Each structure stands twice: as C-alpha cells, then as structure tokens.
C-alpha cells in the first residue's frame, strides 16, 4: 500500500516537472523571438548613422592622390625608388627635407608643371584640384611631421 502511494507521488511530481519544463521551453521560445527582433533593428540604426557622415572636402583630392600620385610618392608620401614605365627613378619623400621646406606655391607649381622626373598635371587636374591636393598633402600625408614644420 505504501509503495503504491509513493508511486503516485513520484508520478505526480514527474508530471508537474514535465509541465514546468514545457512552460519554461515556451517562455524560451518567446524570448528567442524577442531576441531576434533586436538584431534586426540594429542594422537600421547603423545605416542611419552612416547616412549622415561629415563630408570630407578633401575626399576628392584623396582619390586623385591615389589615382595619380601613389605610384611614385607612395600612400604615405615616403617616395623612394620606383619603376615607372620601365624607368627607375628616385622619388623624394614628401615627409622630410624639401617636402617640408617648400611652400604651397612651390608644390602647386611642381604638380602643375612637373619637372625632374615628375609629369605635369595641369592638363589632367584643374587649379582647384591641384590646390586641394596640396592641402591634402599638408593635412593628411604630412600629418605626422607637421610639428617639425611649425618653426619654418
Ligand atoms: C612619375 C612619378 C611621379 C608622379 C606620378 C608624381 N610625382 Fe610628384 N615628384 C616626382 C619626383 C621625381 C619629384 C622630385 C622632383 C624634383 O626633384 O624637383 C616630385 C616632386 C613632387 C613635389 C615637390 C616636393 C618638394 O620637395 O618640393 C610635390 C609636392 C609632388 N611631387 C606632388 C605630387 C602629386 C600631388 C602627384 C599626383 C598628382 C605627383 N607628385 C605625381 C615624381 C612623381
């Protein structure tokens, strides 16, 4: 008789536990659904943030530098030995020496008229594009060495 009672209690407890388990898993499903909704919302927020960047007035100059100048002057302006159209030439660094001493006007003239191994760009770039390239060199290429030029 005692055994039967025990069996009923065990059965009842088991049933109860199963019921609980079910309800828990139902909750988890609901939570998972809620969690899915959150990541779906975040890319939207990112897109909104990316849609309103601060426009860089020298973005075009940066592109032009990559298109016309890096072949010789390199991404960071360090120059060095380059091989252009089969000819090897030494390109001076824009980060030291004359690159820091020469004025914006001298830079503008060099870019427009070329010389000493550098081609002229006045037929490919207008005055504003050349001026912007000089500003880009000063602002970004020479960013790390600006302090040294301050006394000049
Ligand atoms: C074919 C290689 C070549 C290309 C392409 C080239 N340059 Fe040059 N650049 C040179 C060489 C070589 C010199 C050094 C000329 C000299 O000794 O007077 C130079 C000099 C300069 C100088 C003068 C640096 C100083 O010390 O006063 C500037 C500024 C300059 N280049 C900017 C540019 C820009 C901007 C572009 C792209 C629009 C460009 N260069 C494209 C080879 C090149």
């Amino acid at each position: 008789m005692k055994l039967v009672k025990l069996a009923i209690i065990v059965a009842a407890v088991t049933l109860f536990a199963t019921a609980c388990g079910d309800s828990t898993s139902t909750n988890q499903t609901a939570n998972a659904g809620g969690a899915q909704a959150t990541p779906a919302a975040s890319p939207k927020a990112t897109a909104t943030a990316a849609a309103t960047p601060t426009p860089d007035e020298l973005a075009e100059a940066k592109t032009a530098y990559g298109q016309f100048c890096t072949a010789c002057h390199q991404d960071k302006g360090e120059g060095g030995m380059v091989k252009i159209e089969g000819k090897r030439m030494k390109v001076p660094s824009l980060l030291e020496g004359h690159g820091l001493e020469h004025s914006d006007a001298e830079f503008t003239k060099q870019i427009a008229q070329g010389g000493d191994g550098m081609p002229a760009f006045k037929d490919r770039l207008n005055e504003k594009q050349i001026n912007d390239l000089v500003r880009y060199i000063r602002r970004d290429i020479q960013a790390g060495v600006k302090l040294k030029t301050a006394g000049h």
Side-chain angles (χ1 to χ4, degrees):
M1 200 55 191
K2 249 189 178 176
L3 254 177
V4 175
K5 251 191 196 169
L6 195 68
I8 290 170
I9 291 167
V10 168
V13 167
T14 311
L15 256 176
F16 186 72
T18 315
C20 267
D22 277 344
S23 80
T24 314
S25 74
T26 312
N27 279 345
Q28 276 169 352
T29 314
N31 277 344
Q36 266 167 4
T38 320
S42 7
K44 238 189 200 170
T46 318
T48 315
T52 49
T54 315
D56 181 2
E57 52 165 353
L58 296 181
E60 233 182 89
K62 186 180 181 180
T63 308
Y65 183 87
Q67 189 179 349
F68 298 119
C69 322
T70 45
C72 289
H73 290 281
Q74 312 297 320
D75 280 349
K76 295 189 170 61
E78 70 270 33
M81 284 305 291
V82 295
K83 205 174 170 189
I84 299 287
E85 288 161 14
K87 277 190 289 179
R88 278 169 68 80
M89 74 163 93
K90 174 125 175 62
V91 179
S93 170
L94 296 173
L95 308 174
E96 57 187 33
H98 289 157
L100 299 182
E101 288 158 17
H102 286 158
S103 65
D104 287 3
E106 284 167 305
F107 271 22
T108 309
K109 188 170 169 236
Q110 176 70 23
I111 298 167
Q113 300 177 7
D116 288 320
M118 176 164 155
F121 284 93
K122 62 178 184 306
D123 297 335
R124 280 175 278 181
L125 300 167
N126 64 31
E127 213 181 304
K128 182 187 184 295
Q129 288 171 315
I130 291 175
N131 286 336
D132 282 354
L133 267 168
V134 174
R135 289 170 64 210
Y136 171 72
I137 291 170
R138 298 296 191 204
R139 191 193 72 176
D140 288 15
I141 302 285
Q142 297 183 336
V145 288
K146 266 237 172 88
L147 287 175
K148 290 187 213 156
T149 44
H152 257 287

